[in-house]
Amino acid sequence: MKVVILDDADAVASYGADIFREQLQAKPASVFGLATGSTPLKLYRELIESNQQGDISFSEVRSFNLDEYMDLPPEHPQSYRYFMDEEFFKHIDIDRSNTHVPPGNADNPLTACREYEGAIAAAGGIDIQLLGIGRNGHIGFNEPTSCLASRTRVKTLTEETIADNARFFSEDETQPQLSITMGIGTIMEARLVVLLATGESKAEAIKAMVEGPVSAWCPASALQMHPATVVIVDEAAASALSNPEFFKHIERHNQALLARIKA
Ligand code: PGA
């Protein structure tokens, strides 16, 4: 697990966006695993800008989102399909039919979960999986106690996650209690995982993920076993780490090594 600690949320977004830009330049037909939430928004805006300036293209990209609420139609403003369309897809040159979000309103969610896994496999697997992290250490909607080998499935949300997301729902709307999410096993198969976190509210989750035991109690800790995960955090999200200076030291060496290879 590589941990990169940067000054602020803008720097986190730029560092993350560079990884996607480089991937697209190397492989235009990349398969991206995408995330919703407030954290990736700045990264999406950077990628939109690069796309509109003609520096990168998404025309051959296929995407698979991590999760979706159950029982919300895709056109519902709180659905993650709607979020992705509004915040990202409609601003870039991606073919919308190549974008996938778990079908939260499928008649048979069990079949739909299996089909989602099949579609990821048929696309050749995920090149880069983008992640945020919940205050409780969840990735996607894999809440604490999730099986670390889980696949795409129906998952009940915790009270904490429901409370954290309540801000997006108006009082007269019924907030979903269930979701469909890629499993931790699904996420672990991505060739590269890029996890972003900003703000002090994520500090304890970051500490548990990076330093804690690998445990279903902190689902993100499974990434300690992933061969290529980059955790990009701002100072506030890094503030509970025991030794942030060590990660900064490693990153300085990594950058020096990269400069040497490129020279
Ligand atoms: P956030 O959500 O980016 O809105 O903080 C992250 C998550 O719950 O995975």
Side-chain angles (χ1 to χ4, degrees), residues 36-40 132-135 138-141 165 167-168 202:
T36 53
S38 41
T39 311
I133 184 170
R135 288 189 304 126
H138 74 200
I139 46 176
F141 273 137
N165 291 353
R167 65 189 195 275
F168 299 114
K202 300 295 172 68

Side-chain angles (χ1 to χ4, degrees), residues 23-95:
Q23 171 71 22
L24 278 176
Q25 268 141 17
K27 183 180 173 190
S30 288
V31 180
F32 291 147
L34 299 178
T36 53
S38 41
T39 311
L41 281 174
K42 279 176 190 275
L43 180 148
Y44 289 148
R45 286 185 197 134
E46 277 221 17
L47 293 179
I48 290 167
E49 208 178 305
S50 298
N51 182 229
Q52 290 178 352
Q53 285 169 353
D55 297 335
I56 51 172
S57 171
F58 293 85
S59 59
E60 294 177 56
V61 164
R62 280 161 296 171
S63 73
F64 292 88
N65 263 75
L66 277 170
D67 48 13
E68 177 61 286
Y69 287 118
M70 284 262 296
D71 300 326
L72 287 190
E75 59 281 1
H76 190 288
Q78 300 314 331
S79 78
Y80 286 173
R81 159 52 80 183
Y82 186 89
F83 176 102
M84 291 308 297
D85 284 344
E86 290 301 307
E87 300 292 349
F88 196 33
F89 298 146
K90 80 178 193 190
H91 306 287
I92 58 174
D93 64 347
I94 200 163
D95 177 346

